[in-house]
Amino acid sequence: MDEVTSSRKYCVQQLIPAVRNSAVGVDLAAIREHLQDSGSVVQEIFDENQGEDSLAALKSIVASLQAKEQELAQGMVDPTSDELGDLEAAANKLWLLDTNRLVAGAELVLNFQEDTRYGDDNAHEALFEYVDGHAMSKSTFTAFYKLLDNYTAEAGVSEEVTPEEKQEIFAFLDVAVQTPVVRYVMKYLNASGKLPDDAQDEYGFKGFLYRLWFYFYSKEARFDSSGFEHVFAGDTRDGKVGGMHNWIQLLVQERKGELNYLGYITSRGVDGDEEPGSEYLMSISFDWKGATKTVGSSFFG
């Protein structure tokens, strides 16, 4: 799987510049030569996706590599004994299984700018420089996106779920439990004896996630928050932003003009001369809806 993943990443890195700028050409022969030692599966995918239009052919190659990567990941969702005994190994496996992740520096380009402290605004441009629209059309991304406008940001305002919003939640859970990441988590928790009896199959696990993420609890008013709202959508309270550890919500709110990126935090995710993030795990500061997030950490992509 590593060969397929690294090949897809390289192909995406060659594809996106051509997508962003029609003057940039695609040299399929050079790309294939670069990947000549990547195994027979990768070479077969190149053989199956040839054509006079090099850009179209490379798009097909990327799609085929992604499909093969997902197929291989689905065959790796059973945790090993080593992973069951080592949480770090399990976390590394989750990272490997996340085949929907965008390629940093290509499908997702961030404008880091300057570091910041204490909420000072040291970034005068947007954080998100480029996000590939095709990459964002994946089913999990589109289903997740529909959930973000279902909540009131201010703590103390009771939340209500409409029938349409409930269907959006179910649609998101339906696609989420089909991903290798969530299937692995279910099997890992089941093998570890951490799941209740009614959550040990796919149907029951969806109900378990629904209760865990979407059941409301009370902060300042009855049923004014939920785990999903706090962690992913974010909330505001006493001039501070709570939660909002999700890059898609950050993107949506910045493009709406409601989020002002202030800069990144140098004490987290930076090592020497490296960019402020490793595979875009980084901490940032931002203003949102009249409140400030002094330090917030998220995966990006």
Side-chain angles (χ1 to χ4, degrees):
M1 179 169 170
D2 288 343
E3 292 178 340
V4 176
T5 299
S6 61
S7 297
R8 178 181 65 85
K9 183 175 180 178
Y10 180 77
C11 288
V12 167
Q13 290 168 339
Q14 310 313 304
L15 171 64
I16 295 301
V19 170
R20 297 181 66 179
N21 184 352
S22 59
V24 176
V26 170
D27 189 341
L28 271 183
I31 295 171
R32 182 166 190 169
E33 182 177 359
H34 181 85
L35 298 175
Q36 61 182 340
D37 297 324
S38 297
S40 59
V41 170
V42 174
Q43 295 306 313
E44 288 171 5
I45 287 174
F46 270 84
D47 288 338
E48 294 167 357
N49 293 277
Q50 297 297 316
E52 295 182 3
D53 186 335
S54 295
L55 179 60
L58 185 54
K59 287 180 178 179
S60 296
I61 289 168
V62 168
S64 296
L65 288 170
Q66 175 103 60
K68 174 56 70 173
E69 190 180 9
Q70 292 172 345
E71 176 189 333
L72 294 172
Q74 292 288 6
M76 300 169 61
V77 298
D78 290 307
T80 66
S81 57
D82 288 343
E83 291 160 4
L84 290 171
D86 184 346
L87 191 58
E88 181 178 353
N92 288 333
K93 183 66 166 291
L94 285 175
W95 184 260
L96 176 66
L97 294 176
D98 183 14
T99 58
N100 276 343
R101 184 168 68 247
L102 271 61
V103 176
E107 293 172 312
L108 173 65
V109 180
L110 300 181
N111 183 10
F112 298 109
Q113 299 168 74
E114 302 295 329
D115 64 325
T116 186
R117 286 289 187 278
Y118 314 115
D120 296 335
D121 192 351
N122 293 338
H124 305 299
E125 298 177 352
L127 170 61
F128 292 91
E129 180 178 320
Y130 175 78
V131 182
D132 182 59
H134 179 72
M136 293 292 292
S137 67
K138 298 170 183 176
S139 60
T140 48
F141 285 34
T142 57
F144 178 87
Y145 171 80
K146 292 179 181 180
L147 304 180
L148 295 176
D149 63 355
N150 293 349
Y151 303 98
T152 302
E154 295 80 12
V157 179
S158 297
E159 299 282 5
E160 295 183 2
V161 181
T162 67
E164 179 182 1
E165 290 170 348
K166 185 169 286 189
Q167 288 303 312
E168 290 173 351
I169 292 172
F170 293 153
F172 169 68
L173 291 174
D174 283 343
V175 294
V177 297
Q178 297 300 319
T179 64
V181 169
V182 178
R183 290 186 65 209
Y184 178 84
V185 168
M186 182 184 74
K187 289 175 176 289
Y188 184 95
L189 293 176
N190 201 1
S192 302
K194 303 297 185 182
L195 288 180
D197 292 341
D198 63 351
Q200 296 183 11
D201 59 15
E202 181 181 303
Y203 180 81
F205 193 65
K206 281 193 292 186
F208 176 76
L209 291 178
Y210 182 82
R211 297 189 296 272
L212 186 68
W213 287 348
F214 297 102
Y215 270 22
F216 290 117
Y217 58 85
S218 302
K219 285 185 175 179
E220 295 186 356
R222 179 175 171 80
F223 298 154
D224 64 340
S225 190
S226 68
F228 183 93
E229 177 183 4
H230 175 80
V231 173
F232 296 109
D235 50 43
T236 61
R237 185 179 187 183
D238 300 328
K240 298 179 181 179
V241 177
M244 204 168 174
H245 303 287
N246 179 260
W247 72 273
I248 296 178
Q249 174 70 326
L250 295 171
L251 169 67
V252 168
Q253 295 303 313
E254 183 175 74
R255 290 193 169 173
K256 284 182 176 180
E258 296 187 357
L259 184 145
N260 177 37
Y261 169 62
L262 303 177
Y264 62 87
I265 310 301
T266 53
S267 61
R268 302 186 183 186
V270 179
D271 182 14
D273 295 328
E274 293 181 5
E275 288 186 321
S278 174
E279 287 286 351
Y280 287 173
L281 170 60
M282 59 183 289
S283 296
I284 64 172
S285 182
F286 58 89
D287 291 333
W288 180 56
K289 294 184 179 292
T292 299
K293 186 79 170 181
T294 305
V295 179
S297 300
S298 299
F299 284 104
F300 285 78

